[in-house]
Amino acid sequence: MAFCKNCGQQINDDAAFCPNCGTTVGNAQQPQQAPVQPQVVSGDADVQQNKGIAWLSYVGLLFLIPLFVRKTSEYCRFHVKEGANVCACELAYTIATRILLLIIDLPTRTYYYGFYFHSSIYYVFNTIFSLGFIFFTVMSIIGIVNAATGKTVEIPLLGQIPFIKNLMDKIYASLNK
């Protein structure tokens, strides 16, 4: 067995990537002694101990609280990764919709007695885009309910985006060094 050079996770000799952090293994070397791993609480005790804080993962940037406070908890790790996914997707959606609304509004808005007035098209698109925020609110509520009831279930649609989860795995690996 070999160990990952990045996070110290034990990996198979024939593995191309570390299953924990995703680093390319290449020429992983066998250390003289196994690296010290932080004690990770798992199982029902982990869930009972951390479900009171894990729900914060779904309240915007508050996912940073369980990330740093309970960094050794597998239960919190799961929910932090899910909450970071929701937060990142909502941020990307907000930026994209604001840019689109600006593009729609610039040629059609009028200035009248010191006030800008938007066109009807702007208000239609603004209403349509607002429905997206309802979607993110529902996804956050689903996550909060899952975390508070002790479930580790992926968020529908957003829970299947691997980019943020892989980034969070690297952050956890650097925190647990």
Side-chain angles (χ1 to χ4, degrees), residues 135 139 154-161:
F135 169 76
M139 294 299 113
E154 281 189 345
I155 300 294
L157 301 174
L158 301 179
Q160 299 168 359
I161 301 172

Side-chain angles (χ1 to χ4, degrees), residues 122-134:
Y122 173 86
Y123 289 113
V124 168
F125 277 99
N126 192 27
T127 303
I128 292 169
F129 291 153
S130 296
L131 296 175
F133 291 108
I134 294 171

Side-chain angles (χ1 to χ4, degrees), residues 2 6 31 45 63 70 79 87 93 112 141 143 154-155 164 170 176:
N6 185 37
F63 74 86
R70 303 292 167 96
H79 287 290
C87 184
Y93 181 79
Y112 188 69
I141 290 170
E154 281 189 345
I155 300 294
I164 300 298
K170 290 180 181 179
N176 291 329

Side-chain angles (χ1 to χ4, degrees), residues 18-96:
C18 173
N20 186 42
C21 67
T23 304
T24 306
V25 174
N27 57 358
Q29 300 170 350
Q30 185 81 12
Q32 280 79 13
Q33 67 186 92
V36 177
Q37 291 290 328
Q39 184 175 353
V40 176
V41 181
S42 61
D44 291 334
D46 182 26
V47 172
Q48 294 304 320
Q49 184 179 13
N50 296 305
K51 68 181 179 180
I53 195 170
W55 67 270
L56 286 175
S57 301
Y58 299 98
V59 185
L61 291 175
L62 292 183
F63 74 86
L64 295 171
I65 293 172
L67 170 69
F68 291 112
V69 173
R70 303 292 167 96
K71 61 186 173 186
T72 59
S73 166
E74 288 296 323
Y75 184 72
C76 279
R77 177 182 290 203
F78 174 82
H79 287 290
V80 165
K81 289 178 357 182
E82 292 291 312
N85 246 354
V86 173
C87 184
C89 290
E90 186 172 5
L91 178 65
Y93 181 79
T94 301
I95 292 170

Side-chain angles (χ1 to χ4, degrees), residues 83-154:
N85 246 354
V86 173
C87 184
C89 290
E90 186 172 5
L91 178 65
Y93 181 79
T94 301
I95 292 170
T97 58
R98 295 300 157 214
I99 290 171
L100 287 173
L101 284 174
L102 183 64
I103 291 169
I104 290 168
D105 188 39
L106 278 180
T108 60
R109 76 176 166 186
T110 56
Y111 184 76
Y112 188 69
Y113 289 109
F115 296 100
Y116 282 108
F117 293 93
H118 304 287
S119 67
S120 301
I121 296 170
Y122 173 86
Y123 289 113
V124 168
F125 277 99
N126 192 27
T127 303
I128 292 169
F129 291 153
S130 296
L131 296 175
F133 291 108
I134 294 171
F135 169 76
F136 288 112
T137 302
V138 169
M139 294 299 113
S140 292
I141 290 170
I142 290 171
I144 289 169
V145 169
N146 285 342
T149 58
K151 298 178 185 171
T152 53
V153 179
E154 281 189 345

